[in-house]
């Protein structure tokens, strides 16, 4: 089978997904085109133009199936490259613009409409979580209701009817502990592993940590993740107050070092206000961490009830207090050698999800 795979905004999670997909099916012949994850507005709207002129010879080859990420302007690309018009297409949705808490001023509806058109142009649509699908469908429905006229019936239903849920799988190495387990003699260790941006709600993390510090608890925290030139000021404000408890701080560049850090931690905490699957948390759980996640977004699909705390998205102070209460209980149980085991997430591995991926792709050929 000849497959054209397009990743129009090849961010880390998109890259690992398409690399895993290619590696999972070496018997198929893959042609992969990617564009770098920068200049978001231009990339989302301009990828069809970029590829149609720069990669026309590649795009006009014969393919059995076309697979594209939802950032790909598929409807325009099929129009600009007629050879693709009749190739069965699957669009994979890692996220959606309708549920993204965009802080930029002057946001337009164009990224939302472009993604809607891409899904309408596909023969099959795959979302990584039910939360992603429902928030997309609800957002698209609400947007179309705002349009002044000539909105046809059945647009959202068309997408829903050809969609399914299939998470981004976890690679095998996350489940390979290689004899490394969390130290039961050292301090209670928490890891918070997210991009250092507002939508990950770091102020809730630090509010909870200050409460643990005030209670006199012995703990260590690793605050790791991708950093940017502009980041929430709470990171700089909180470091001096919590420096005696802080282990790793910032991006851990080496994969082996990052995996070792996860395997040697006890609890992975997330405070995210924006998440469509939560791969960073799931990687930590596969590595042996006990998760502590809010009861919102996609987390109820992947994290057990016992590992979720009440969600107060509009009340950061209250949520920090709730997080602190849960962490204090877990800290006490750790020192009593009674910390629960991490939940099983092996059903999210490539080995378990591969048959479902094969069925979806074969169904198009």
């Amino acid at each position: 089978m000849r497959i054209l795979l397009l990743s129009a905004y090849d961010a880390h999670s998109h890259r690992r997904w398409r690399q895993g997909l290619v590696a999972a099916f070496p018997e198929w012949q893959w042609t992969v085109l990617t564009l770098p994850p920068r200049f978001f507005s231009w990339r989302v709207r301009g990828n069809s133009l970029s590829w149609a002129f720069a990669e026309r010879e590649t795009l006009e080859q014969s393919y059995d199936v076309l697979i594209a990420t939802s950032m790909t302007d598929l409807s325009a690309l099929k129009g600009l490259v007629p050879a693709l018009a009749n190739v069965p297409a699957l669009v994979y949705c890692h996220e959606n613009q309708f549920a993204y808490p965009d802080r930029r001023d002057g946001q337009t509806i164009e990224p939302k409409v472009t993604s809607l058109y891409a899904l309408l142009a596909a023969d099959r649509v795959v979302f990584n979580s039910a939360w992603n699908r429902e928030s997309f469908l609800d957002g698209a429905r609400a947007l179309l209701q705002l349009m002044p006229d000539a909105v046809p019936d059945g647009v959202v239903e068309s997408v829903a009817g050809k969609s399914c849920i299939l998470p981004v799988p976890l690679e095998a190495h996350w489940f390979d502990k290689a004899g490394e387990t969390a130290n039961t003699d050292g301090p209670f260790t928490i890891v918070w592993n997210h991009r250092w941006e507002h939508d990950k709600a770091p102020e809730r993390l630090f509010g909870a940590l200050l409460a643990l510090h005030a209670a006199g608890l012995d703990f260590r925290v690793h605050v790791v993740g991708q950093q940017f030139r502009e980041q929430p000021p709470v990171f700089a404000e909180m470091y001096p107050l919590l420096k005696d408890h802080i282990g790793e701080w910032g991006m851990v560049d080496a994969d082996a070092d990052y995996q070792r850090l996860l395997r040697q931690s006890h609890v992975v905490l997330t405070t995210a206000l924006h998440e469509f699957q939560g791969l960073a948390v799931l990687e930590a759980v596969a590595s042996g961490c006990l998760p502590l996640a809010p009861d919102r977004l996609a987390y109820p699909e992947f994290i057990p009830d016992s590992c979720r705390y009440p969600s107060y998205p509009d009340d950061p102070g209250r949520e920090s207090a709730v997080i602190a209460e849960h962490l204090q209980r877990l800290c006490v149980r750790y020192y009593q050698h009674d910390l629960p085991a991490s939940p099983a997430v092996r059903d999210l591995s490539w080995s378990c999800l591969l048959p479902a991926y094969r069925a979806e792709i074969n169904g198009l050929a």
Side-chain angles (χ1 to χ4, degrees):
M1 188 187 306
R2 289 172 53 87
I3 301 178
L4 175 63
L5 177 55
L6 304 175
S7 181
Y9 194 83
D10 204 38
H12 175 71
S13 61
H14 295 213
R15 182 170 66 253
R16 63 178 288 184
W17 172 79
R18 52 102 174 157
Q19 288 175 340
L21 188 62
V22 171
F25 299 102
E27 69 274 22
W28 294 341
Q29 185 176 347
W30 296 89
T31 298
V32 181
L33 296 180
T34 68
L35 289 169
R38 57 176 182 255
F39 311 127
F40 175 81
S41 296
W42 158 241
R43 188 71 71 233
V44 169
R45 196 65 189 96
N47 61 78
S48 57
L49 185 67
S50 300
W51 277 331
F53 283 82
E55 300 287 353
R56 180 165 293 273
E57 183 177 351
T58 298
L59 294 172
E60 289 183 337
Q61 300 299 308
S62 176
Y63 298 102
D64 299 299
V65 172
L66 187 164
I67 300 175
T69 63
S70 59
M71 296 291 191
T72 303
D73 188 4
L74 184 61
S75 62
L77 187 62
K78 284 190 170 189
L80 291 168
V81 186
L84 295 176
N86 294 318
V87 180
L90 180 152
V91 169
Y92 191 87
C93 303
H94 294 83
E95 69 280 295
N96 75 77
Q97 294 304 305
F98 294 99
Y100 197 94
D102 201 326
R103 295 174 55 86
R104 294 169 295 182
D105 294 332
Q107 182 191 15
T108 70
I109 66 170
E110 196 156 4
K112 299 174 182 178
V113 172
T114 301
S115 65
L116 175 58
Y117 288 177
L119 272 57
L120 290 168
D123 298 281
R124 191 68 169 153
V125 177
V126 180
F127 291 90
N128 60 349
S129 69
W131 156 250
N132 190 5
R133 178 167 66 177
E134 294 311 309
S135 59
F136 176 91
L137 297 176
D138 289 346
R141 187 176 294 109
L143 178 64
L144 292 175
Q145 288 174 349
L146 295 175
M147 298 301 104
D149 66 1
V151 176
D153 294 331
V155 172
V156 175
E157 290 73 16
S158 172
V159 174
K162 58 184 175 183
S163 69
C164 71
I165 310 301
L166 199 49
V168 174
L170 299 176
E171 296 85 354
H173 64 81
W174 295 110
F175 300 93
D176 181 12
K177 308 298 191 299
E180 295 182 66
T181 56
N183 189 343
T184 57
D185 297 323
F188 175 62
T189 303
I190 306 159
V191 59
W192 185 91
N193 54 344
H194 296 289
R195 288 180 285 103
W196 288 24
E197 292 188 292
H198 291 278
D199 64 296
K200 301 305 180 183
E203 70 283 350
R204 299 169 194 238
L205 160 73
F206 290 117
L209 295 179
L210 288 175
L212 296 188
H213 173 73
L217 296 178
D218 183 17
F219 70 95
R220 176 186 297 127
V221 61
H222 301 304
V223 182
V224 297
Q226 186 180 7
Q227 297 166 286
F228 305 88
R229 283 180 295 181
E230 293 185 11
Q231 59 193 30
V234 69
F235 288 99
E237 294 166 358
M238 289 297 107
Y239 184 88
L241 302 178
L242 292 165
K243 62 181 180 181
D244 292 340
H245 298 284
I246 290 172
E248 291 294 328
W249 182 261
M251 190 69 182
V252 179
D253 293 318
D255 291 343
D257 292 340
Y258 179 61
Q259 289 184 230
R260 188 177 302 111
L261 179 147
L262 294 181
R263 291 167 184 163
Q264 294 177 351
S265 299
H266 304 112
V267 170
V268 57
L269 170 65
T270 175
T271 51
L273 296 171
H274 161 238
E275 194 66 83
F276 293 101
Q277 182 175 340
L279 279 173
V281 172
L282 295 171
E283 291 166 357
V285 174
S287 300
C289 290
L290 184 70
L292 186 58
D295 191 23
R296 59 174 173 257
L297 309 174
Y299 293 120
E301 300 173 55
F302 303 106
I303 304 299
D305 292 352
S306 60
C307 298
R308 302 198 307 270
Y309 57 84
S311 171
Y312 300 104
D314 299 321
D315 192 341
R318 186 177 184 186
E319 189 159 284
S320 288
V322 168
I323 295 169
E325 291 172 5
H326 280 70
L327 287 174
Q328 287 183 47
R329 286 196 291 268
L330 291 173
C331 184
V332 170
R333 293 188 66 176
Y334 166 74
Y335 286 112
Q336 293 175 342
H337 303 287
D338 186 38
L339 196 65
S342 61
V345 290
R346 190 167 288 276
D347 60 333
L348 296 174
S349 66
W350 263 111
S351 60
C352 288
L353 290 174
L354 187 145
Y357 270 89
R358 184 187 300 276
E360 284 295 332
I361 296 170
N362 278 334
L364 288 174

